[in-house]
mmCIF file of all heavy atoms in Angstrom:
data_model
loop_
_atom_site.group_PDB
_atom_site.id
_atom_site.type_symbol
_atom_site.label_atom_id
_atom_site.label_comp_id
_atom_site.label_asym_id
_atom_site.label_seq_id
_atom_site.Cartn_x
_atom_site.Cartn_y
_atom_site.Cartn_z
ATOM 1 N N ALA A 418 -24.825 17.446 -3.387
ATOM 2 C CA ALA A 418 -25.672 16.293 -3.154
ATOM 3 C C ALA A 418 -24.931 15.015 -3.118
ATOM 4 O O ALA A 418 -25.082 14.190 -2.235
ATOM 5 C CB ALA A 418 -26.767 16.260 -4.317
ATOM 6 N N HIS A 432 -17.832 1.431 2.883
ATOM 7 C CA HIS A 432 -16.393 1.698 2.586
ATOM 8 C C HIS A 432 -16.363 2.487 1.334
ATOM 9 O O HIS A 432 -17.032 2.033 0.202
ATOM 10 C CB HIS A 432 -15.563 0.434 2.440
ATOM 11 C CG HIS A 432 -15.627 -0.401 3.672
ATOM 12 N ND1 HIS A 432 -14.703 -0.287 4.624
ATOM 13 C CD2 HIS A 432 -16.575 -1.330 4.098
ATOM 14 C CE1 HIS A 432 -14.978 -1.128 5.679
ATOM 15 N NE2 HIS A 432 -16.180 -1.730 5.350
ATOM 16 N N LYS A 468 -5.958 -8.563 10.624
ATOM 17 C CA LYS A 468 -5.428 -7.267 11.205
ATOM 18 C C LYS A 468 -4.596 -7.468 12.416
ATOM 19 O O LYS A 468 -4.833 -7.066 13.487
ATOM 20 C CB LYS A 468 -6.628 -6.362 11.563
ATOM 21 C CG LYS A 468 -7.580 -6.060 10.327
ATOM 22 C CD LYS A 468 -6.851 -5.147 9.319
ATOM 23 C CE LYS A 468 -7.778 -4.848 8.148
ATOM 24 N NZ LYS A 468 -7.698 -5.793 6.966
ATOM 25 N N GLY A 501 10.519 -0.340 0.628
ATOM 26 C CA GLY A 501 9.978 0.349 1.768
ATOM 27 C C GLY A 501 8.563 0.553 1.685
ATOM 28 O O GLY A 501 7.733 0.462 2.589
ATOM 29 N N VAL A 509 0.104 -1.573 6.704
ATOM 30 C CA VAL A 509 -1.227 -1.029 6.688
ATOM 31 C C VAL A 509 -2.326 -2.069 6.573
ATOM 32 O O VAL A 509 -3.311 -2.040 7.248
ATOM 33 C CB VAL A 509 -1.368 0.015 5.514
ATOM 34 C CG1 VAL A 509 -2.886 0.387 5.291
ATOM 35 C CG2 VAL A 509 -0.601 1.307 5.884
ATOM 36 N N MET A 541 15.388 13.657 6.577
ATOM 37 C CA MET A 541 14.824 12.436 7.052
ATOM 38 C C MET A 541 15.128 12.190 8.538
ATOM 39 O O MET A 541 14.346 11.648 9.314
ATOM 40 C CB MET A 541 15.429 11.215 6.133
ATOM 41 C CG MET A 541 14.837 9.903 6.409
ATOM 42 S SD MET A 541 15.458 8.724 5.187
ATOM 43 C CE MET A 541 14.278 8.845 3.863
ATOM 44 N N ALA A 571 25.773 28.007 -3.694
ATOM 45 C CA ALA A 571 24.525 28.746 -3.857
ATOM 46 C C ALA A 571 24.196 28.852 -5.350
ATOM 47 O O ALA A 571 23.074 28.985 -5.793
ATOM 48 C CB ALA A 571 24.531 30.037 -3.219
ATOM 49 N N SER A 644 14.831 -3.185 -8.305
ATOM 50 C CA SER A 644 14.247 -4.405 -8.893
ATOM 51 C C SER A 644 12.816 -4.591 -8.411
ATOM 52 O O SER A 644 12.469 -4.068 -7.289
ATOM 53 C CB SER A 644 15.172 -5.611 -8.415
ATOM 54 O OG SER A 644 14.473 -6.831 -8.863
ATOM 55 N N GLN A 678 6.364 -11.261 14.899
ATOM 56 C CA GLN A 678 6.723 -12.421 15.827
ATOM 57 C C GLN A 678 7.781 -12.019 16.876
ATOM 58 O O GLN A 678 7.699 -12.394 18.018
ATOM 59 C CB GLN A 678 7.135 -13.602 15.012
ATOM 60 C CG GLN A 678 5.938 -14.297 14.338
ATOM 61 C CD GLN A 678 6.450 -15.299 13.369
ATOM 62 O OE1 GLN A 678 7.536 -15.657 13.229
ATOM 63 N NE2 GLN A 678 5.440 -15.919 12.594
#
Side-chain angles (χ1 to χ4, degrees):
H432 301 266
K468 303 291 181 269
V509 165
M541 190 174 273
S644 168
Q678 282 169 7

